[in-house]
Amino acid sequence: MKTALKSDVGLIRTVNEDRAVVQNRLNGFTLAIVADGMGGHQAGDIASQIAIDTVKRELQNIEPGMSPEECGQRIADAVRKANREVFEIASSQEQYQGMGTTIVVALVSDELIIIAHIGDSRAYKLDDEFMIQLTEDHSLVNELVKSGQISPEEANSHPRRNVLTRALGTDEQVEVDLCIDAWKQEDVLLLCSDGLSSLLDDGQITAILRSGEELQSKANLLVQSALQAGGDDNITVVLLANVQADDEEKG
């Protein structure tokens, strides 16, 4: 598995509340997580860090022989535990009231992608034909798009595009969406915060991912393109490429 990660504070914000992690060789899997925190007084970066740390810790003993459904349940349980931890801190400490975070978690093997997510951070899969979005945004504008009140193009510039309908840590209980999908050699998985997906359309993202650049250069180019498009939010990108071990780059 080849991986790349890039995060940038953007051109407007003073604090990067995004967090991301990639862990290779986790009992036969690769784990990747992106979280986009929210909350005043730097509480957002605390929420996203707690979420990442908790999910990663809870998945350290995942077993290679587990079925995809069992793996999905384990990931969902880890995300729910992270939700409780963030919610308890937000409820007990006044300066952290209302903090929360999005999260998108990918646990991948050579054949399967297992995704859990809450919020509007996304997962995309690029194969030799298409790029498809594996997650559905838990956001107000997505509800408006689904009901036909606004177009997908209008959603990207809507004044309430940052309003979430579901987040990690803002309520005691939360529903976790799961997706299990196959992938094959040379396919690429992209996890990102909305600082990327709200500024670049699918065609722009696909063009960069299909370029001849190395994987880390593609991650850098995605972030740079979002900065050039306005950079009005934190931008975080994680890329995973399904390649043979002997093709894998060091680093």
Side-chain angles (χ1 to χ4, degrees):
M1 195 74 61
K2 190 185 296 184
T3 64
L5 188 160
K6 178 70 174 178
S7 187
D8 193 283
V9 69
L11 302 177
I12 306 297
R13 306 292 179 90
T14 58
V15 175
N16 192 345
E17 296 185 323
D18 287 0
R19 293 291 184 272
V21 68
V22 177
Q23 181 180 0
N24 281 301
R25 301 178 182 87
L26 177 60
N27 298 329
F29 297 99
T30 294
L31 173 67
I33 315 172
V34 169
D36 177 358
M38 58 188 185
H41 307 292
Q42 299 187 13
D45 55 337
I46 293 170
S48 56
Q49 189 67 58
I50 293 170
I52 290 245
D53 291 345
T54 303
V55 172
K56 183 181 177 184
R57 182 184 70 236
E58 292 295 309
L59 294 177
Q60 289 307 295
N61 60 352
I62 199 149
E63 299 165 12
M66 296 176 71
S67 71
E69 292 74 21
E70 288 172 327
C71 286
Q73 191 57 54
R74 286 287 300 277
I75 300 169
D77 288 344
V79 172
R80 283 189 283 266
K81 183 171 180 60
N83 181 77
R84 290 193 297 273
E85 293 203 10
V86 173
F87 179 77
E88 287 171 5
I89 293 173
S91 301
S92 62
Q93 301 186 42
E94 183 178 353
Q95 69 269 34
Y96 299 142
Q97 282 186 358
M99 77 173 178
T101 184
T102 71
I103 194 164
V104 56
V105 183
L107 188 71
V108 305
S109 66
D110 291 340
E111 295 86 24
L112 285 176
I113 298 170
I114 306 167
I115 302 284
H117 93 285
I118 300 170
D120 62 357
S121 293
R122 294 181 179 178
Y124 296 88
K125 183 183 76 170
L126 180 82
D127 62 21
D128 51 6
E129 292 188 81
F130 307 108
M131 186 178 77
I132 60 171
Q133 186 177 329
L134 299 177
T135 55
E136 180 177 318
D137 293 351
H138 303 137
S139 65
L140 174 63
V141 293
N142 189 48
E143 294 299 320
L144 295 174
V145 169
K146 289 195 297 182
S147 65
Q149 296 181 60
I150 63 173
S151 69
E153 293 73 26
E154 289 171 323
N156 287 335
S157 59
H158 195 279
R160 301 190 71 191
R161 65 186 182 277
N162 294 324
V163 177
L164 299 179
T165 56
R166 197 189 310 174
L168 185 153
T170 55
D171 294 289
E172 190 170 5
Q173 304 290 331
V174 70
E175 182 182 354
V176 182
D177 282 6
L178 286 173
C179 169
I180 299 173
D181 197 26
W183 72 335
K184 60 186 184 300
Q185 289 290 310
E186 307 302 330
D187 287 357
V188 175
L189 180 68
L190 162 66
L191 307 184
C192 65
S193 61
D194 69 328
L196 181 84
S197 57
S198 66
L199 290 176
L200 301 186
D201 63 29
D202 288 4
Q204 292 170 300
I205 294 172
T206 299
I208 293 171
L209 293 181
R210 291 202 190 283
S211 69
E213 301 290 337
E214 295 297 335
L215 199 68
Q216 185 61 56
S217 296
K218 291 178 182 180
N220 297 345
L221 279 169
L222 286 168
V223 170
Q224 186 61 40
S225 296
L227 290 170
Q228 291 172 350
D232 59 357
D233 199 354
N234 306 148
I235 310 157
T236 298
V237 169
V238 171
L239 296 176
L240 282 68
N242 193 349
V243 297
Q244 296 276 3
D246 56 2
D247 293 333
E248 189 171 332
E249 293 182 342
K250 294 181 180 179

